[in-house]
């Protein structure tokens, strides 16, 4: 076997290594770039790219343009509305030097200078971003306090961005106060928080506050439409509207949902796909469900709910959608037209307007209250579907019930007497046989009306109580009629000024209920069959019955205390206390049978009322 010279061998190894490195380099260059989620890819880099925050953009633009730049800013709002993004844009706007390197603070950062690039790539040495959720102590703030003394190395300003600032400890806040109030001219602070109420007032007073509002659904929809077009994804307008509604005003949440929907549909996204992905109920089905309930059609309503559940709708989400729809219909009823709601197609807007015209405010208010309570039950129930069905049963059976105003009106039209049951007022289109509303109607029509009346019916005799002649007799009458609460109020809270048959003049104590005279008039009419006049007076009147009994008890105790026998007992037993005094009636006279006596003999010994003391 021939051997190669050592030099040739080394050359061969080198050539093989070079070939391998070349292949690796080509493979690396051919590898796709890592995917960036839409929330990061389309994060605004200038004020002009921000959406839904016009007031904030206008204020900061004018401040930077005029040089009126505050020493500290605090940005607050719900998640995903642009707090941290705004803080980074402020840092770029303050430190941008322009393409030529000679520019000053600007509202439109160039994006090409070293400062703009470094800040965009999160590697600028003078821009410090701290997460207060993980660094909450005074030691972290002490590092900032010591570092602010030194001038920036590259930028015009040192910018300290503290996210979720409300999570700093009390010591950290106190340590930051002096530096925050009088920072060096080359230092700016930008705070972001979702819980502005947890930030001390001493910190808020040293900052310019900006409240970032939720982005409107229409603005979010247009923004998502532009992004979907740039991503070359086919997304229906209805799907974009559903995503914007689910985002609840958060741009980041909406972009995350849009990213998920595009991946779920492989670039083809429609409303049905978004509903399945989010577990939402079909808006048209929600309209139909509420219409069925308000017409009392319970079997159809339960079938509608079951179909939505089979398609993946969460029962709690269905209840929430019913609540939202009830609120929207109420606004339609109050405003008198169809509000501009981009979350609903035009056909559903017209349908909602027609439905609102058939409903009265009492029905809508009652539906809202029942759904609000039902939503809590569904969320807490072990079987949400069963709880949701029970809520629908209550709504359907209450659909045909008349309002209290209708009951009173019809009762007055019938003379105020207790007659046959009043037919419920229809709440829109009659109920089908066998449904909830029909059952409720039938029950109401067959049951007698429970309306109180002091007028006896023809052929009916009513036994009234004896007419009280004194106020204590009136109190005793209330007790006999099992009106213990009323009797207690009369006993403790009424100063009688004058009392005569059919008329009472009284003064109430400060603790008495203001409706006591009205309730007393009503009860006296029921008990005696006559109408009494009860009036209030400012005259002092007699003491209340409770005060009279207390005074009488004090008199009896004083009389007993002065009795010689009681004095002797108290002397013989030091520390003894006279608890109560009871007066005994004298025993019945005893007759001695004596045949020879001219007449009966009677016991004449008097009985001292102090013979029995507790």
């Amino acid at each position: 076997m021939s051997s190669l010279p050592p030099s040739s061998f080394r050359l061969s190894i080198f050539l093989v290594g070079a070939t391998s490195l070349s292949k690796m380099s080509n493979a690396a260059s051919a590898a796709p770039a890592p995917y960036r989620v839409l929330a990061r890819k389309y994060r605004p880099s200038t004020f002009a790219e921000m959406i839904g925050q016009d007031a904030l953009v206008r204020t900061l633009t004018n401040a930077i343009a005029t040089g009126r730049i505050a020493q500290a800013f605090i940005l607050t709002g719900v998640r995903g509305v642009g707090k941290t993004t705004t803080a980074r844009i402020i840092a770029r706007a303050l430190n941008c030097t322009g393409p030529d390197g000679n520019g000053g603070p600007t509202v439109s950062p160039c994006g090409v200078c070293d400062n703009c690039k470094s800040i965009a790539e999160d590697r600028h040495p003078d821009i410090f971003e701290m997460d207060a959720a993980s660094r909450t102590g005074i030691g972290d703030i002490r590092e900032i306090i010591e570092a602010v003394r030194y001038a920036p190395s590259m930028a015009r300003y040192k910018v300290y961005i503290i996210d979720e600032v409300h999570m700093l400890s009390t010591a950290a806040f106190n340590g930051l106060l002096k530096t925050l109030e009088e920072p060096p001219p080359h230092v700016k602070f930008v705070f972001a928080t979702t819980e502005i109420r947890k930030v001390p007032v001493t910190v808020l007073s040293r900052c310019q506050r900006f409240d970032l509002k939720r982005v409107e659904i229409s603005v979010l929809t247009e923004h998502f439409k532009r992004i979907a077009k740039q991503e070359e994804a086919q997304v229906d307008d209805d799907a974009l509207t559903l995503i914007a509604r689910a985002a609840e005003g958060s741009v980041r949440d909406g972009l995350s949902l849009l990213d998920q929907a595009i991946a779920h549909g492989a670039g083809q996204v429609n409303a049905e796909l978004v509903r399945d992905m989010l577990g939402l109920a079909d808006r048209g089905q929600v309209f139909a469900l509420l219409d069925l309930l308000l017409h009392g059609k319970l079997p159809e309503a339960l079938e509608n709910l079951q179909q939505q559940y089979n398609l993946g709708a969460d029962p709690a989400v269905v209840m929430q959608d019913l609540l939202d729809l009830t609120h929207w219909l109420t606004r339609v009823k109050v405003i008198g037209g169809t509000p501009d709601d981009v979350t609903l197609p035009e056909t559903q807007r017209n349908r909602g307007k027609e439905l609102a015209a058939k409903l009265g405010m009492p029905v809508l208010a009652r539906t809202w209250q029942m759904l609000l309570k039902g939503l809590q039950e569904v969320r807490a129930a072990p079987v949400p579907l069963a709880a949701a069905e029970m809520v629908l049963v209550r709504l359907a059976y209450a659909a045909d019930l008349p309002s209290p105003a209708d009951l009173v009106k019809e009762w007055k039209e019938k003379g105020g007497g207790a007659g046959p049951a009043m037919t419920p007022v229809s709440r829109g289109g009659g109920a089908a046989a066998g449904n909830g509303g029909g059952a409720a109607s039938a029950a109401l029509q067959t049951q007698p009306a429970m309306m109180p009346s002091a007028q006896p019916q023809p052929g009916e005799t009513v036994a009234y109580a004896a007419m009280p002649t004194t106020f204590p007799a009136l109190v005793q009458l209330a007790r006999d009629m099992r009106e213990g609460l009323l009797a207690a109020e009369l006993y403790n809270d009424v100063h009688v000024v004058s009392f005569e048959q059919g008329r009472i003049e009284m003064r109430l104590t400060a603790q008495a209920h203001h409706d006591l005279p009205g309730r007393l008039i009503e009860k006296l009419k029921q008990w005696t069959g006559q109408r009494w006049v009860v009036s209030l007076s400012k005259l002092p009147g007699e003491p209340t019955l409770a005060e009279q009994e207390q005074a009488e008890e004090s008199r009896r105790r004083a009389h007993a205390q002065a009795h010689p026998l009681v004095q002797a007992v108290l002397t013989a037993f030091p520390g003894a206390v006279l608890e109560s005094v009871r007066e005994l009636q004298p025993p019945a006279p005893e007759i001695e049978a004596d045949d020879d006596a001219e007449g009966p003999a009677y016991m004449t010994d008097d009985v001292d009322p102090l013979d029995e003391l507790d």
Side-chain angles (χ1 to χ4, degrees):
M1 179 182 291
S2 62
S3 61
L4 294 174
S7 59
S8 300
F9 180 71
R10 287 196 299 268
L11 180 60
S12 299
I13 294 177
F14 175 78
L15 290 175
V16 172
T19 302
S20 302
L21 289 176
S22 177
K23 292 181 180 180
M24 293 174 60
S25 177
N26 293 335
S29 61
Y35 177 72
R36 297 185 67 190
V37 296
L38 298 183
R40 296 184 59 190
K41 183 177 181 179
Y42 293 96
R43 174 176 253 170
S45 57
T46 62
F47 289 119
E49 297 177 2
M50 294 190 65
I51 62 171
Q53 310 296 341
D54 297 337
L56 166 71
V57 172
R58 188 183 309 112
T59 304
L60 291 177
T61 298
N62 295 336
I64 294 174
T66 58
R68 304 176 66 87
I69 304 172
Q71 64 206 23
F73 304 92
I74 186 164
L75 310 173
T76 179
V78 298
R79 81 258 176 238
V81 292
K83 299 183 296 296
T84 307
T85 298
T86 303
R88 293 175 179 175
I89 294 176
I90 292 175
R92 294 181 62 185
L94 295 180
N95 292 309
C96 179
T97 58
D100 57 357
N102 297 322
T106 176
V107 297
S108 301
C110 65
V112 297
C113 66
D114 293 339
N115 288 333
C116 288
K117 290 181 178 179
S118 300
I119 295 173
E121 297 172 1
D122 296 332
R123 57 180 178 82
H124 200 289
D126 295 322
I127 308 301
F128 303 91
E129 187 169 345
M130 187 182 86
D131 180 19
S134 58
R135 304 181 64 184
T136 62
I138 182 62
D140 302 307
I141 297 301
R142 188 176 291 116
E143 295 179 6
I144 296 177
I145 297 174
E146 294 174 354
V148 297
R149 297 179 298 174
Y150 304 103
S153 58
M154 290 177 52
R156 187 179 297 109
Y157 294 100
K158 276 187 173 182
V159 181
Y160 290 88
I161 301 173
I162 302 181
D163 199 8
E164 300 298 338
V165 69
H166 66 274
M167 301 193 72
L168 288 178
S169 64
T170 302
F173 273 124
N174 293 335
L176 188 61
L177 286 180
K178 189 62 179 177
T179 304
L180 188 61
E181 183 176 9
E182 297 178 358
H186 58 267
V187 174
K188 302 294 179 184
F189 289 95
V190 184
F191 302 142
T193 178
T194 55
E195 300 286 347
I196 191 65
R197 296 184 179 180
K198 295 183 180 180
V199 180
V201 180
T202 51
V203 174
L204 294 177
S205 64
R206 291 165 167 82
C207 305
Q208 279 192 2
R209 173 176 169 176
F210 293 94
D211 291 271
L212 282 73
K213 62 181 182 179
R214 296 178 185 268
V215 183
E216 297 179 358
I217 295 178
S218 58
V219 178
L220 281 176
T221 303
E222 292 298 324
H223 183 58
F224 297 159
K225 184 182 298 185
R226 290 192 299 268
I227 292 178
K229 185 177 181 180
Q230 294 181 30
E231 291 292 315
E232 298 180 354
Q234 301 296 326
V235 185
D236 295 347
D237 292 343
D238 293 343
L240 291 174
T241 301
L242 290 175
I243 293 174
R245 288 184 65 248
E248 297 182 346
S250 172
V251 183
R252 183 177 63 225
D253 290 2
L255 288 176
S256 298
L257 293 176
L258 178 61
D259 206 348
Q260 181 181 354
I262 293 175
H264 187 64
Q268 299 290 332
V269 182
N270 55 30
E272 190 66 25
L273 182 142
V274 174
R275 289 193 191 97
D276 294 340
M277 182 185 73
L278 300 179
L280 299 177
D282 187 352
R283 197 68 169 175
Q285 291 295 328
V286 175
F287 262 96
L289 179 58
L290 185 61
D291 195 4
L292 292 172
L293 290 173
L294 295 180
H295 283 84
K297 299 179 180 179
L298 182 56
E300 295 87 343
L302 293 178
E303 181 64 23
N304 182 293
L305 176 62
Q306 186 65 46
Q307 291 177 359
Q308 295 190 54
Y309 181 77
N310 293 337
L311 293 175
D314 187 356
V317 175
V318 176
M319 293 294 106
Q320 182 64 58
D321 287 344
L322 287 173
L323 266 175
D324 295 340
L325 183 56
T326 303
H327 171 257
W328 184 77
L329 291 174
T330 305
R331 284 179 53 85
V332 173
K333 192 76 175 179
V334 172
I335 297 175
T338 305
D340 186 14
D341 190 351
V342 298
T343 64
L344 295 177
E346 187 64 27
T347 56
Q348 294 185 13
R349 297 188 202 179
N350 297 332
R351 183 179 180 183
K353 187 176 181 180
E354 295 175 0
L355 183 60
K358 300 177 183 178
L359 301 175
M361 288 301 299
V363 176
L364 290 171
R366 179 176 61 197
T367 303
W368 170 267
Q369 293 294 336
M370 296 179 71
L371 284 173
L372 190 63
K373 186 175 185 299
L375 177 60
Q376 300 175 356
E377 296 176 359
V378 172
R379 288 175 174 172
V383 184
L385 179 61
E389 289 180 347
M390 294 303 297
V391 175
L392 299 189
V393 170
R394 291 202 300 266
L395 278 171
Y397 271 87
D400 288 338
L401 291 179
S403 65
D406 295 331
L407 287 173
V408 173
K409 181 179 178 180
E410 191 163 348
W411 178 59
K412 289 182 178 179
E413 291 176 353
K414 293 190 176 183
M422 294 174 285
T423 303
V425 179
S426 178
R427 295 302 176 190
N435 59 28
S441 302
L444 285 174
Q445 292 171 359
T446 57
Q447 293 296 330
M450 303 299 292
M451 302 298 295
S453 174
Q455 300 292 336
Q457 299 299 320
E460 178 184 359
T461 59
V462 179
Y464 294 111
M467 190 73 65
T469 57
T470 62
F471 187 70
L474 172 60
V475 176
Q476 185 59 42
L477 176 61
R479 291 173 179 155
D480 295 341
M481 292 297 178
R482 299 184 181 276
E483 292 289 342
L485 179 60
L486 179 61
E489 291 180 281
L490 296 174
Y491 182 79
N492 294 291
D493 299 328
V494 174
H495 297 271
V496 178
V497 177
S498 65
F499 184 94
E500 58 187 42
Q501 184 174 343
R503 184 179 183 86
I504 307 174
E505 187 177 0
M506 64 176 64
R507 178 177 65 87
L508 302 180
T509 64
Q511 295 77 20
H513 293 282
H514 66 280
D515 61 343
L516 176 58
R519 288 187 287 122
L520 181 59
I521 292 174
E522 180 183 356
K523 293 299 180 182
L524 284 173
K525 186 177 180 180
Q526 295 180 8
W527 299 338
T528 64
Q530 297 184 12
R531 183 174 179 82
W532 286 59
V533 178
V534 180
S535 60
L536 297 179
S537 174
K538 294 184 179 180
L539 298 177
E542 300 177 357
T544 65
L545 294 182
E547 294 173 348
Q548 294 179 26
E549 183 172 342
Q550 292 176 0
E552 179 64 21
E553 177 67 17
S554 300
R555 186 194 63 78
R556 290 198 303 265
R557 290 173 63 88
H559 175 69
Q561 193 82 21
H563 195 278
L565 179 59
V566 175
Q567 292 289 338
V569 173
L570 295 177
T571 303
F573 299 95
V577 178
L578 182 63
E579 289 292 341
S580 63
V581 179
R582 292 186 298 173
E583 295 186 3
L584 300 179
Q585 298 294 332
E590 297 181 1
I591 303 176
E592 294 183 358
D594 189 355
D595 296 337
D596 299 334
E598 298 180 356
Y602 295 95
M603 295 289 296
T604 59
D605 294 338
D606 294 335
V607 179
D608 195 321
L610 298 175
D611 285 347
E612 183 173 341
L613 298 176
D614 289 342

